[in-house]
Amino acid sequence: MMSGSALEEAVRSDRFVVTAEVGPPRGADPAALSAAVRTLRGWVDAVNITDNQSAVVRLSSMAGSVLALAQGVEPVMQISARDRNRIAIQSDLLSAAALGIPNVLLITGDHPKFGDHPEAKPVFDVDSVQMLWVARTMRDHQRLHSGRLLDSPPRLFLGGVENPCAPPADFRARRLGKKVAAGAQFVQTQFVFDVACFERWMADVRELGLHERIAVLAGVGPIGNPRALKHMRTKVPGLSIPDAVAERLSRVDESHFAEEGIRLCVETIQRLREIPGVAGVHLMAFGREHVIPEVIERAGIRPPRSANDGSDFRQRSGHVG
Amino acid sequence: MRQRKRPVPTSPSLSARVLYRLHRFLEPNPVYRWVARRLERSQTLYTGFARAEESVKERSFGCQMCGQCALPATGYACPMSCPKQLRNGPCGGVSSSGACEVYPDQRCVWVTAVERAQSADRLDDVCQLQRPIDHRRWGESSWVNYWQGRDDALWTDHDGLTREATLHPRTITATSGR
Ligand code: SF4
């Protein structure tokens, strides 16, 4: 069953797909989030709205997704297992569908230890594979985890994440296989800075035939300044940036750092595009959304056809009112 | 739900091969089933038995007494010793050296599990889908539950890629189960 998702339609076409990521504000003013997604309208197929990313309190991904719809941008609502038990997760899946949010990304989530409330109780009632499994069962079999029938199933395009280069290397493609088996239809990966390593993972993915069953969107992003580089190298769990990449960025004068970051990102996208089975890229710019259109243009990616015309999304957001 | 200790990744000292072999001695049989029924009739006996299980498994596996043991499907590395208690594999936070995101001086228990499963030629085990657990069972004896047949649907018996893995152990028909 189709979810009414433009992202789903895009990955079914041959076009190279682009998603991006926007983090909601730490506060109740939606202006910054709305402005950020507006910058991306027409350039990307969908925008992820993160869910209290890094375990730091923000406006919710559901509210953020509704705000994105109001700007004519299709959201991917992230739902992490860190803060919700299976009751809340299933409720949120129903709510997302009812609000016209067509895509969800079901993830484990960073441990509270890394956030602004390290004393919080981590939930982790179910894991990311189980979340996908429950979501697919709700959609395709109209059943809750309890087995009870739903009055009407949530139409959702289901996504997950993977970290291709993290240990255990021999298992990462198999883990993606578990997500496919559980119901994942698209996957966004951790940042790829080590293309050779990503290629090895993709070879495993193809060997398992997974690339024909799930759209692989490789994670990329321009590093904007030396502080961001240092942060990404030391503070982000599961992210590893090879020395060669760090050296290349550090060699340039600080005033040219941002440009070099974009150049590196563009080159990475072009290399990823050549890898069989890669359906697109997922761009993460952490608050620097304004550079994303430039990256897309310089990488030679054709933006989604409905460029700058968000009317159909606006209609969908009409569900809200 | 009884959970006294923080889960910390634990690497067992006995090899996976040995433990897979030892497992045969735990498999349900009429005698064990009788023992399990007998234990469940007496609070004192049951508690004593569960304590004994706990003391063996806590030391060897970092067992948290979830009461629905995953060890036979994880190369005998306990997934409940993962700080996120993930039953289907590691999260994305594992460092490039294989360290746990939450406890950087510990090895990710899933790195350990996959390695151990591989060493015993049982990688397929970790590719089966683990169903969500029943949180009412914390503190129970997983051996008793195993012998009583309550563990039969904890995980699928295939990887779900050639045929659909059903979340509900028995296929529920469209009209039942309301
Ligand atoms: S009973 Fe549960 S907590 Fe104990 S070893 Fe088995 S899986 Fe781990």
Side-chain angles (χ1 to χ4, degrees):
Chain A
M1 185 182 17
M2 292 291 281
S3 56
S5 155
L7 178 61
E8 179 169 15
E9 225 166 89
V11 303
R12 280 166 196 252
S13 74
D14 279 343
R15 193 163 53 76
F16 195 71
V17 170
V18 186
T19 54
E21 190 161 303
V22 168
R26 178 165 38 223
D29 184 353
L33 183 127
S34 298
V37 295
R38 245 190 338 264
T39 314
L40 300 170
R41 185 164 68 205
W43 287 100
V44 300
D45 291 280
V47 175
N48 284 38
I49 307 295
T50 57
D51 176 17
N52 298 299
Q53 196 175 15
S54 312
V56 171
V57 174
R58 306 275 172 165
L59 180 140
S60 79
S61 59
M62 191 183 294
S65 297
V66 171
L67 292 167
L69 284 170
Q71 295 301 322
V73 173
E74 181 167 301
V76 176
M77 174 180 154
Q78 300 196 178
I79 304 181
S80 104
R82 178 192 57 230
D83 309 322
R84 302 169 173 82
N85 67 10
R86 62 194 78 179
I87 298 173
I89 289 166
Q90 294 177 98
S91 171
D92 280 357
L93 290 167
L94 296 176
S95 308
L99 291 168
I101 299 164
N103 316 295
V104 288
L105 189 82
L106 303 171
I107 60 178
T108 311
D110 297 313
H111 197 275
K113 184 186 166 187
F114 299 99
D116 58 353
H117 294 75
E119 74 285 5
K121 184 178 197 298
V123 180
F124 302 117
D125 177 21
V126 290
D127 64 30
S128 53
V129 172
Q130 294 163 347
M131 282 169 101
L132 285 158
W133 207 1
V134 168
R136 190 197 56 201
T137 303
M138 288 169 72
R139 185 194 60 194
D140 294 353
H141 300 296
Q142 214 172 319
R143 295 266 173 198
L144 290 168
H145 173 252
S146 66
R148 293 193 97 177
L149 267 175
L150 286 162
D151 298 335
S152 67
R155 297 171 73 214
L156 294 165
F157 188 46
L158 303 175
V161 293
E162 189 48 272
N163 191 348
C165 292
D170 296 345
F171 184 62
R172 286 289 166 182
R174 307 285 302 251
R175 180 173 180 259
L176 182 68
K178 289 183 93 162
K179 292 192 173 182
V180 170
Q185 298 166 289
F186 69 99
V187 58
Q188 294 168 328
T189 77
Q190 177 59 282
F191 277 104
V192 180
F193 287 110
D194 186 344
V195 179
C197 170
F198 180 84
E199 268 188 291
R200 283 194 295 277
W201 175 76
M202 258 331 279
D204 291 347
V205 168
R206 287 194 304 270
E207 202 183 302
L208 294 169
L210 300 176
H211 63 302
E212 280 158 3
R213 307 174 64 165
I214 189 165
V216 177
L217 308 180
V220 287
I223 306 179
N225 54 59
R227 276 183 319 285
L229 174 63
K230 182 152 179 260
H231 177 85
M232 289 168 79
R233 290 203 91 184
T234 54
K235 292 273 154 60
V236 182
L239 176 56
S240 94
I241 300 180
D243 292 338
V245 170
E247 271 160 32
R248 170 175 165 180
L249 290 171
S250 307
R251 255 200 315 270
V252 297
D253 187 74
E254 195 166 335
S255 58
H256 293 107
F257 193 104
E259 165 56 23
E260 191 63 17
I262 291 175
R263 201 175 296 156
L264 175 72
C265 182
V266 167
E267 284 169 23
T268 308
I269 295 173
Q270 285 163 341
R271 289 176 65 192
L272 290 168
R273 258 190 119 152
E274 302 302 314
I275 302 172
V278 175
V281 285
H282 175 58
L283 273 157
M284 295 168 273
F286 301 119
R288 294 170 60 248
E289 284 74 31
H290 58 278
V291 302
I292 289 183
E294 183 185 346
V295 170
I296 292 170
E297 200 159 60
R298 283 169 62 177
I301 302 171
R302 189 156 56 89
R305 248 204 308 271
S306 62
N308 297 314
D309 172 21
S311 54
D312 51 339
F313 299 130
R314 283 220 188 83
Q315 273 162 18
R316 187 178 299 131
S317 70
H319 286 287
V320 177
Chain B
M1 167 164 151
R2 188 173 71 124
Q3 214 180 336
R4 305 123 305 148
K5 280 180 47 183
R6 283 184 312 179
V8 175
T10 306
S11 180
S13 47
L14 279 178
S15 84
R17 258 183 208 286
V18 168
L19 287 163
Y20 274 111
R21 230 170 286 145
L22 281 178
H23 182 87
R24 265 179 259 154
F25 298 103
L26 263 186
E27 264 163 30
N29 62 42
V31 180
Y32 286 166
R33 270 190 283 265
W34 177 83
V35 171
R37 279 198 302 275
R38 181 74 197 80
L39 287 169
E40 289 196 332
R41 279 203 299 272
S42 152
Q43 176 83 46
T44 331
L45 286 180
Y46 185 91
T47 311
F49 187 81
R51 289 271 156 74
E53 176 182 334
E54 181 173 3
S55 73
V56 173
K57 284 168 74 182
E58 188 180 350
R59 224 172 318 125
S60 328
F61 305 104
C63 172
Q64 302 278 318
M65 292 298 279
C66 70
Q68 41 220 301
C69 199
L71 289 177
T74 58
Y76 288 89
C78 172
M80 305 316 268
S81 78
C82 158
K84 299 182 183 176
Q85 304 197 314
L86 307 178
R87 305 261 293 190
N88 276 297
C91 73
V94 188
S95 83
S96 54
S97 64
C100 170
E101 154 187 316
V102 182
Y103 300 108
D105 46 358
Q106 303 286 333
R107 203 145 192 270
C108 163
V109 71
W110 272 105
V111 174
T112 305
V114 168
E115 217 165 65
R116 289 170 61 85
Q118 265 174 326
S119 76
D121 260 330
R122 303 284 295 246
L123 193 62
D124 287 346
D125 285 0
V126 285
C127 297
Q128 295 164 343
L129 273 72
Q130 294 277 338
R131 296 194 172 87
I133 65 165
D134 181 343
H135 288 283
R136 291 169 297 191
R137 287 213 218 149
W138 285 95
E140 292 180 8
S141 161
S142 76
W143 289 340
V144 167
N145 284 334
Y146 178 47
W147 295 333
Q148 293 278 43
R150 291 176 196 134
D151 283 2
D152 293 351
L154 285 182
W155 57 85
T156 57
D157 56 4
H158 57 100
D159 65 9
L161 289 172
T162 41
R163 60 197 157 100
E164 185 180 327
T166 49
L167 179 66
H168 301 107
R170 272 163 292 116
T171 317
I172 302 174
T173 60
T175 49
S176 70
R178 245 193 216 270

